[in-house]
Amino acid sequence: MDCESLTSCAADMEGCAAEFVERVGVRARLPLDYSVGSLRVVDRLVEGLRRGGAGREDVAGTLLGLGAYVGEVLVREAGAVWVDLPAEHLLRSVFGHPVAVRMPDGRVWNPLGRTVNRFELGPSESLHTYFLTLHGRRSVRSRRPLPRIPDRASGSAC
């Protein structure tokens, strides 16, 4: 899968995150282990992109990989699931992406968009803080594994 050209479906996001970790994490020996703490590393990576002076379009593929990684942290650490947003769904136009994550309480969040915001707006949009302040995540103490099931409500063909 080529994460940089992903037009995206929820089913692709885990692979996109894994591809990003393989491409960037191993080469640079970054501690990208899908833990909440690793989101601090992601914040530093995004800040490095900002300081490098690249435009959003220049780093769009990298931001997609980083956003997929952030979403996978939500899946693995907070009990979220990736969901496809139908073309006519209001959240799709608001989020600017065809996928999002649904938390155990049913709330839908936008890790891809939040990663872009981190790039465009800076440290005030910290991805580590984003995780810690999200409503609807399961408590780490009471965490029980949830089955990964597709979102049947979306009607997506992905």
Side-chain angles (χ1 to χ4, degrees):
M1 169 199 349
D2 181 9
C3 189
E4 293 198 20
S5 65
L6 187 68
T7 54
S8 214
C9 129
D12 295 335
M13 298 314 292
E14 181 180 9
C16 182
E19 178 184 296
F20 176 79
V21 168
E22 179 66 28
R23 186 170 37 98
V24 176
V26 173
R27 184 179 61 209
R29 295 188 180 146
L30 297 171
L32 296 175
D33 59 3
Y34 299 97
S35 68
V36 176
S38 71
L39 294 176
R40 289 185 177 126
V41 173
V42 175
D43 276 327
R44 287 194 299 271
L45 289 170
V46 175
E47 191 60 27
L49 293 172
R50 285 172 45 82
R51 289 186 180 167
R56 179 178 169 187
E57 292 76 29
D58 299 327
V59 294
T62 300
L63 291 175
L64 178 62
L66 287 163
Y69 178 82
V70 171
E72 269 302 297
V73 172
L74 294 173
V75 167
R76 296 174 186 208
E77 293 289 325
V81 293
W82 285 104
V83 293
D84 293 302
L85 300 172
E88 67 282 352
H89 198 285
L90 174 64
L91 284 180
R92 187 171 179 153
S93 63
V94 170
F95 285 2
H97 298 281
V99 296
V101 294
R102 186 179 60 228
M103 302 302 279
D105 73 348
R107 295 179 201 209
V108 178
W109 298 96
N110 182 13
L112 301 176
R114 182 61 181 244
T115 303
V116 170
N117 288 348
R118 174 63 177 86
F119 176 77
E120 291 181 342
L121 303 174
S124 65
E125 296 294 311
S126 165
L127 297 163
H128 182 254
T129 302
Y130 174 62
F131 178 90
L132 296 175
T133 59
L134 275 181
H135 296 283
R137 62 186 169 94
R138 290 182 292 149
S139 165
V140 173
R141 290 188 187 114
S142 67
R143 187 176 349 151
R144 288 179 286 160
L146 295 176
R148 293 194 63 171
I149 57 174
D151 180 33
R152 297 168 203 251
S154 73
S156 173
C158 285

